[in-house]
Amino acid sequence: MSRLIHFCHFLVNSDYFVGNIRAMSQFDFQTLEDLLAGTPTEPRHLLPFLQRTQEKFRHLPREALLAAAAHFSLPASRVFAVASFYKAFSLVPKGERLIAVCQGTACHLRGGPQVAASLEKRLGLKIGQTSADGRYGLESVNCLGACALAPVATVDGAVRGHLTPGRAAELL
Amino acid sequence: MSAPIETMVSGTINGRTVAVAKDTPLLQAARDNGVGIPTLCHHPALPPDGNCRLCLVEVGGKLAASCLYPLREDGFSVVTESGKIAGARAFVVKLLLSRAPEDECLLRLAALYQTAPDPRLAGDEDGCLRCGRCVRACHAAGSDAVALVGRGRSRKVAGAFLEPPADCAGCLACARVCPTGAVKFRETKNSRSIWGKEFSLAPCPVCGRTVGTPEELARAGLDPGGALCPECRRRAMAGALLALPENAAPKRG
Ligand code: SF4
Ligand code: FES
Ligand code: FES
């Protein structure tokens, strides 16, 4: 009996088991390890780590948050609190091409909502959604500080100004 | 007050001169001097967190949360009741009411500050004020099962990934400090459930009374299977002390 228990412990704790899990799931542990490798363990490095992870994975995978909790010796609940607080982070994968339509005051007045509606229609998505094939993500932002170019959107962070509902197609 | 004189600071609270140890939180200084300030998220046994904003007072004419405000320098001038303060607290109560419109304590505050729930804020009545007492109590108890997660309107108390928290020991520290009873749990003679987790309850091997969950006993370094209840432990300890040889006769020394 106790032998059996020992064996189970061995299975669960050994690299053998971990290795197998890694082989089984398609999660890219190598990339995660690389991201953590150069990261100091003081908790203040959590945010930059999450930013790099978001960039690499286009979201914050569960595995990365758990790994971060272990790396920074923080409770998982705290890491999750941080990850779920900032709008720059997402817990589900964002589209490969991320379009953010400005709905700030200036853009709102100069047709931002119509640009957003046109993109929603073309992509068959609502603001905040990602296409089923993962290719497009549609979001809104509140003022990008480029009001002179209103209405404005960003495509993967690059600003595109003076949009019209018709010209919105060029963003795709 | 026993603090050396140079670590004392003095100023006025509602016009009366007071002296307190440097870095005393304003809330405590006021209460020590017989001045009451309403609070919700403050708990004497937990670190302050400034979440409810009910304890707003005026320091040098500016609003500040007194539970988080350390008195650092001489010459502070604090006012704890004014039109400005009443207005600010009324607004705070209005917002809090949108979460717990039936809470007795909030209703009394609403009467005091003459405010009522705002119908435009309806739809979020989950009873939780987001005061975070439960989060701090959990940490103090030795786990960090729950946190305030998310932001804005969807901010709430939850475990990581919104799942039943792995490190919850089922000790109920959170439920005991919740000012509104929003932390729900169920308990029977030998089981307990909270945050979506099920626990068994270990009985005291002597009297059979419930001692706690095996998880919380283990966290406290006690035998998860056979820990005595506090009373039986006291009795056992007293018995052991009396049995010690040096206690047989009073020692001189
Ligand atoms: S559940 Fe209760 S204790 Fe926890 S944050 Fe909400 S009101 Fe505060
Ligand atoms: S409002 Fe859109 S950039 Fe300022
Ligand atoms: S008691 Fe000070 S903010 Fe809640």
Side-chain angles (χ1 to χ4, degrees):
Chain A
M1 183 63 187
S2 89
R3 270 227 200 125
L4 184 64
I5 291 177
H6 271 134
F7 184 58
C8 290
H9 271 249
F10 164 73
L11 274 188
V12 172
N13 296 328
S14 67
D15 288 335
Y16 163 82
F17 184 72
V18 175
N20 260 317
I21 285 240
R22 291 188 181 190
M24 275 164 0
S25 77
Q26 334 99 316
F27 184 76
D28 184 358
F29 278 100
Q30 193 51 55
T31 302
L32 177 57
E33 262 162 36
D34 294 346
L35 281 168
L36 272 176
T39 309
T41 54
E42 290 90 37
R44 69 190 162 90
H45 295 281
L46 171 65
L47 220 43
F49 165 75
L50 294 181
Q51 282 170 316
R52 289 197 299 275
T53 307
Q54 172 77 40
E55 225 164 86
K56 269 268 190 293
F57 289 92
R58 297 194 149 265
H59 74 301
L60 297 179
R62 184 193 176 93
E63 291 86 345
L65 296 183
L66 289 173
H71 183 83
F72 298 107
S73 308
L74 290 171
S77 59
R78 270 260 282 296
V79 173
F80 184 74
V82 173
S84 61
F85 180 78
Y86 294 96
K87 212 180 161 190
F89 297 144
S90 171
L91 298 170
V92 292
K94 288 200 176 180
E96 277 159 45
R97 170 169 279 211
L98 202 56
I99 304 174
V101 197
C102 183
Q103 301 293 319
T105 313
C107 291
H108 191 92
L109 291 174
R110 305 195 67 175
Q114 287 83 329
V115 173
S118 146
L119 284 166
E120 284 187 324
K121 197 151 141 228
R122 273 170 221 270
L123 291 168
L125 297 173
K126 291 261 165 262
I127 293 275
Q129 290 181 335
T130 300
S131 61
D133 61 3
R135 284 186 57 211
Y136 288 103
L138 192 58
E139 282 183 356
S140 66
V141 290
N142 296 318
C143 192
L144 292 155
C147 309
L149 304 178
V152 167
T154 60
V155 180
D156 287 335
V159 178
R160 308 280 288 268
H162 299 308
L163 295 171
T164 60
R167 282 194 56 214
E170 293 168 19
L171 303 181
L172 306 182
Chain B
M1 288 199 186
S2 51
I5 201 79
E6 65 271 24
T7 64
M8 301 287 286
V9 292
S10 70
T12 63
I13 298 182
N14 294 343
R16 195 154 66 83
T17 302
V18 298
V20 297
K22 185 167 177 281
D23 287 324
T24 304
L26 172 42
L27 173 68
Q28 193 195 320
R31 288 184 172 175
D32 288 350
N33 284 281
V35 176
I37 297 173
T39 59
L40 274 172
C41 71
H42 181 261
H43 188 290
L46 300 171
D49 213 13
N51 285 327
C52 75
R53 315 315 281 182
L54 192 67
C55 67
L56 290 172
V57 297
E58 281 187 59
V59 186
K62 284 209 198 93
L63 288 176
S66 58
C67 68
L68 273 185
Y69 196 99
L71 294 171
R72 289 243 157 88
E73 281 158 26
D74 281 321
F76 54 82
S77 131
V78 175
V79 173
T80 66
E81 301 290 339
S82 72
K84 186 165 157 189
I85 294 166
R89 289 191 194 148
F91 185 63
V92 166
V93 172
K94 183 189 272 302
L95 294 181
L96 293 174
L97 275 170
S98 74
R99 291 292 185 180
E102 268 142 45
D103 184 64
E104 237 177 80
C105 175
L106 273 184
L107 286 174
R108 257 187 292 154
L109 287 165
L112 180 66
Y113 292 109
Q114 293 168 29
T115 186
D118 187 325
R120 289 171 301 176
L121 300 177
D124 289 334
E125 299 85 355
D126 58 7
C128 170
L129 307 178
R130 278 65 179 166
C131 73
R133 277 206 207 188
C134 47
V135 175
R136 285 171 281 154
C138 187
H139 179 78
S143 297
D144 284 288
V146 288
L148 278 161
V149 308
R151 72 178 296 153
R153 227 173 133 172
S154 54
R155 189 166 163 84
K156 64 173 174 186
V157 177
F161 310 104
L162 308 181
E163 288 166 6
D167 55 341
C168 174
C171 71
L172 301 189
C174 49
R176 290 199 181 101
V177 295
C178 178
T180 61
V183 178
K184 297 283 179 259
F185 67 96
R186 264 181 309 111
E187 193 168 288
T188 66
K189 170 118 185 40
N190 39 33
S191 78
R192 182 185 282 171
S193 71
I194 185 163
W195 299 116
K197 277 183 84 172
E198 294 289 334
F199 296 91
S200 62
L201 287 174
C204 170
V206 175
C207 68
R209 211 176 320 169
T210 295
V211 202
T213 69
E215 288 84 352
E216 68 172 308
L217 295 175
R219 191 180 62 188
L222 298 170
D223 176 1
L228 301 178
C229 72
E231 204 162 302
C232 292
R233 202 178 330 147
R234 213 159 24 235
R235 229 172 261 151
M237 203 120 62
L241 279 178
L242 286 176
L244 285 178
E246 61 263 35
N247 280 327
K251 243 198 191 160
R252 276 165 206 267

